[in-house]
Amino acid sequence: MATAEAIFRTGLPRLRHFDPSFNCSSSLLSVNPADGRSRSRRNHGSKALVKCPAKVHARGGNTDALSFGRINKFAGRQDSSRCKCQQQSETFGSDGGSGGMSIPVFDVNGGQEFALQQQLKPENGNVVVGGNGALMDGNGTATTNTDGQPKGSSSNPIEDEAWDLLRASVVYYCGNPIGTIAANDPNSSTVLNYDQVFIRDFIPSGIAFLLKGEYDIVKNFILYTLQLQSWEKTMDCYSPGQGLMPASFKVRTVPLDGDEDASEEVLDPDFGEAAIGRVAPVDSEDGTSDLIRVLNNRLVALSFHIREYYWIDMRKLNEIYRYKTEEYSYDAVNKFNIYPDQIPPWLVEFMPSKGGYLIGNLQPAHMDFRFFSLGNLWSIVSSLATVEQSHAILDLFESKWEDLVAEMPFKICYPALEAQEWRIITGSDPKNTPWSYHNGGSWPTLLWQLTVASIKMNRPEIAERAVELVEKRISRDKWPEYYDTKRGRFIGKQSRLFQTWSIAGYLVSKQLLANPDSAKILVNDEDSELVNALSCMIGANPRKQRGRKAFKQPFIV
């Protein structure tokens, strides 16, 4: 079984029924077996804080310290009532012994604990991942080093530094790894919320650890994140339903009620009420299953719409240039009444003769022709784009390398909003000035997504070229969050240094390029049934579908 599949088969404790067999890591959650409610601090009102059930005694120290690396940062000794859950793993990242690494997972159907041998299975043989992260053959002989490189290859100092930094960003709860903080810059005086574990930001970190053969941190992250879902939360008189995921969470060490010499750890989630602009996380409430069902039923129509109407290349651009407007017909070519004058001058020069991409947005009488990296990369990875379109997107990357990559991968969008357009759309946002941050900034974390897309299409040389470019300066620049200017020459003016997902993105790329077969756990192949359905839709005649119906009885007017 592939690594990711094994991880996501892990059974999860129910919020309203606590499984008594869920020991060690599972017993970290302080849930009343009778009603499933988590204990909360008095001054947080309805805000649920997941707590470690064991008392931790300490002498001196900061009682509100972040617990990075161990159960807390107290300098004093701890008594024997340490959290029971520490017995699960005190040696995260250490050698787990010879052979494959077994971790406890829980069957969703029976709730029984069993040991699952984690494996990566490339086509050329049965290769397992040892507890130390090395790939091993069926005889237990290591075929790679612990960094994923072929056995006997030299160590990369930048890669070694990246692993050290990633491990230094790990957050522990009750002695167990639970996630990674967003940034770990020791020289920054304004922490803001970069010292929290962000749900989104952990994705490349989690993948890096999975590919390394270290699964506990991913398992713990999933279990605790699901337990942090809101069921009592109130934000500005709005009470979302059960299932709202936090944007981030923080591990705090707080005094224990009634005992001034004791303390305990709590997981403190942020649902967006403290974020800049009060940006809340995506709402995945009780209606999620119904939403997924509806989306599955409309997947064919959605895929057809994106592939047919959002795609642009030189042929399509020339077609739009010759559009007739104000067409009223079932057979109209210009279905969305797009005016040819909307074609921006930059696009005429930007569009190569070979290549294309999915545009940013489409609505009646308007097309947002900007190129957005994330959407196009994931259209390749997820097979939302056709095979031909996927290759064309990569052709665009190669043709417009100086525009989209230049001195640091990868432009989050192209081109940047400038002048009046910038003032209207961003509200004159000083952080999103042209060619900065989300307005045309260069983001190193996009490197791993480019790598997955390139490997899927059997064009890894594109990712290799980008990795070589990153290695020239990212370590010297202290692993920034993003870069500014049109060519990505400057470290971003408000960019955090030692940004974890920049570090993890680089490591994921290195591991995938060293072992391309491992990318299979991250991609979706095109569905043959979907292809057949799309072919039927393309050949359908709207006149036949919407023609007049014959009436059985005459009308009397």
Side-chain angles (χ1 to χ4, degrees):
M1 180 180 294
T3 305
E5 184 180 351
I7 289 295
F8 286 103
R9 279 190 57 190
T10 304
L12 301 172
R14 298 181 182 274
L15 290 174
R16 296 300 178 190
H17 174 69
F18 193 70
D19 187 352
S21 67
F22 196 53
N23 297 321
C24 292
S25 62
S26 57
S27 65
L28 304 181
L29 303 175
S30 180
V31 181
N32 188 324
D35 59 11
R37 291 177 296 181
S38 294
R39 293 179 293 157
S40 302
R41 291 174 61 188
R42 289 191 300 270
N43 60 339
H44 276 262
S46 63
K47 185 170 184 176
L49 297 174
V50 175
K51 293 188 176 184
C52 182
K55 296 180 181 179
V56 179
H57 292 273
R59 299 180 184 275
N62 181 2
T63 58
D64 195 31
L66 286 171
S67 54
F68 298 142
R70 284 301 168 212
I71 195 162
N72 57 36
K73 298 180 71 175
F74 292 129
R77 58 183 175 84
Q78 299 171 355
D79 71 4
S80 59
S81 62
R82 295 173 68 187
C83 180
K84 299 177 184 177
C85 53
Q86 275 193 306
Q87 57 188 284
Q88 179 199 2
S89 174
E90 286 270 4
T91 57
F92 170 67
S94 63
D95 191 340
S98 61
M101 179 181 181
S102 298
I103 63 170
V105 295
F106 298 84
D107 191 299
V108 175
N109 298 320
Q112 300 298 317
E113 183 173 1
F114 65 95
L116 178 65
Q117 186 76 15
Q118 300 295 333
Q119 297 181 356
L120 290 177
K121 296 182 178 180
E123 294 179 354
N124 59 355
N126 184 14
V127 180
V128 301
V129 180
N132 59 0
L135 292 181
M136 313 182 77
D137 60 23
N139 298 322
T141 303
T143 60
T144 69
N145 296 326
T146 57
D147 59 0
Q149 297 294 327
K151 188 71 174 177
S153 62
S154 60
S155 178
N156 183 331
I158 300 177
E159 197 170 350
D160 292 342
E161 178 193 9
W163 276 115
D164 290 341
L165 292 171
L166 183 61
R167 296 195 189 285
S169 72
V170 171
V171 176
Y172 288 79
Y173 176 64
C174 292
N176 293 275
I178 192 175
T180 53
I181 57 174
N184 194 15
D185 184 359
N187 299 318
S188 176
S189 59
T190 54
V191 177
L192 295 179
N193 55 357
Y194 282 83
D195 61 347
Q196 299 187 21
V197 178
F198 276 80
I199 309 303
R200 173 201 60 192
D201 292 27
F202 179 73
I203 299 302
S205 297
I207 295 174
F209 285 122
L210 288 177
L211 295 175
K212 188 77 166 175
E214 299 171 7
Y215 311 104
D216 283 352
I217 187 171
V218 179
K219 183 185 70 173
N220 294 338
F221 172 83
I222 294 173
L223 293 175
Y224 285 113
T225 299
L226 291 176
Q227 284 291 331
L228 288 173
Q229 294 178 78
S230 173
W231 55 89
E232 301 177 334
K233 194 91 187 100
T234 300
M235 292 184 292
D236 293 336
C237 301
Y238 168 68
S239 297
Q242 178 179 327
L244 178 66
M245 302 293 289
S248 61
F249 63 86
K250 188 172 184 176
V251 180
R252 298 183 187 274
T253 303
V254 299
L256 190 65
D257 293 342
D259 189 345
E260 61 180 13
D261 295 326
S263 63
E264 62 181 343
E265 289 184 334
V266 297
L267 294 180
D268 189 0
D270 176 17
F271 291 88
E273 67 267 44
I276 298 174
R278 298 301 184 264
V279 178
V282 174
D283 191 345
S284 54
E285 301 183 13
D286 285 337
T288 300
S289 58
D290 296 330
L291 177 61
I292 292 175
R293 193 176 301 112
V294 171
L295 287 177
N296 284 335
N297 293 336
R298 302 190 63 182
L299 183 60
V300 174
L302 176 63
S303 298
F304 173 81
H305 188 77
I306 296 295
R307 293 178 175 185
E308 184 72 10
Y309 300 122
Y310 278 65
W311 180 256
I312 190 166
D313 53 18
M314 183 59 78
R315 182 196 62 80
K316 183 67 175 180
L317 188 61
N318 202 165
E319 180 182 306
I320 296 173
Y321 181 74
R322 293 171 53 82
Y323 268 169
K324 294 179 181 179
T325 59
E326 313 299 337
E327 291 182 289
Y328 181 77
S329 168
Y330 290 129
D331 297 326
V333 175
N334 187 2
K335 293 181 175 63
F336 298 96
N337 199 35
I338 302 299
Y339 295 95
D341 288 344
Q342 287 187 14
I343 298 176
W346 66 263
L347 183 58
V348 178
E349 302 299 326
F350 178 77
M351 183 62 69
S353 57
K354 181 183 179 182
Y357 63 96
L358 296 170
I359 64 173
N361 200 2
L362 169 68
Q363 55 187 305
H366 177 72
M367 297 181 80
D368 184 348
F369 289 101
R370 286 180 296 164
F371 170 84
F372 290 88
S373 301
L374 270 175
N376 279 275
L377 288 171
W378 281 101
S379 70
I380 298 175
V381 175
S382 66
S383 290
L384 177 61
T386 66
V387 173
E388 293 77 13
Q389 288 173 341
S390 297
H391 277 296
I393 294 171
L394 294 181
D395 289 339
L396 177 80
F397 292 166
E398 291 189 310
S399 299
K400 311 307 294 186
W401 189 266
E402 290 302 309
D403 293 313
L404 300 177
V405 180
E407 298 188 26
M408 177 57 64
F410 199 82
K411 286 294 178 194
I412 195 168
C413 64
Y414 185 91
L417 298 173
E418 299 182 278
Q420 186 69 7
E421 195 174 27
W422 166 75
R423 284 188 285 271
I424 293 174
I425 295 179
T426 73
S428 300
D429 185 354
K431 192 170 186 178
N432 281 303
T433 52
W435 308 109
S436 179
Y437 199 51
H438 293 155
N439 188 16
S442 299
W443 292 72
T445 189
L446 296 177
L447 180 65
W448 76 269
Q449 292 154 95
L450 173 64
T451 303
V452 176
S454 300
I455 290 176
K456 180 187 177 183
M457 304 310 297
N458 295 316
R459 298 171 68 173
E461 66 279 0
I462 298 176
E464 290 170 351
R465 182 182 177 188
V467 168
E468 290 177 2
L469 197 60
V470 166
E471 289 181 330
K472 290 181 179 179
R473 60 179 296 197
I474 195 166
S475 175
R476 183 181 70 238
D477 292 343
K478 300 180 180 179
W479 305 89
E481 179 183 11
Y482 64 93
Y483 286 78
D484 284 355
T485 75
K486 194 170 184 178
R487 292 184 54 83
R489 302 192 69 182
F490 292 171
I491 298 173
K493 55 188 172 185
Q494 296 189 41
S495 175
R496 296 284 161 161
L497 302 181
F498 300 102
Q499 183 78 13
T500 302
W501 69 355
S502 296
I503 298 166
Y506 166 75
L507 289 172
V508 171
S509 293
K510 293 291 288 187
Q511 291 181 98
L512 292 176
L513 289 172
N515 181 21
D517 283 333
S518 61
K520 293 178 180 178
I521 66 174
L522 301 172
V523 303
N524 292 326
D525 294 322
E526 192 167 35
D527 192 323
S528 58
E529 295 182 5
L530 180 62
V531 174
N532 293 333
L534 290 173
S535 300
C536 295
M537 293 185 69
I538 293 174
N541 188 334
R543 282 182 178 273
K544 293 181 180 179
Q545 295 178 3
R546 300 188 62 183
R548 285 188 176 184
K549 295 182 180 180
F551 293 100
K552 296 181 179 180
Q553 296 181 355
F555 279 99
I556 299 176
V557 181

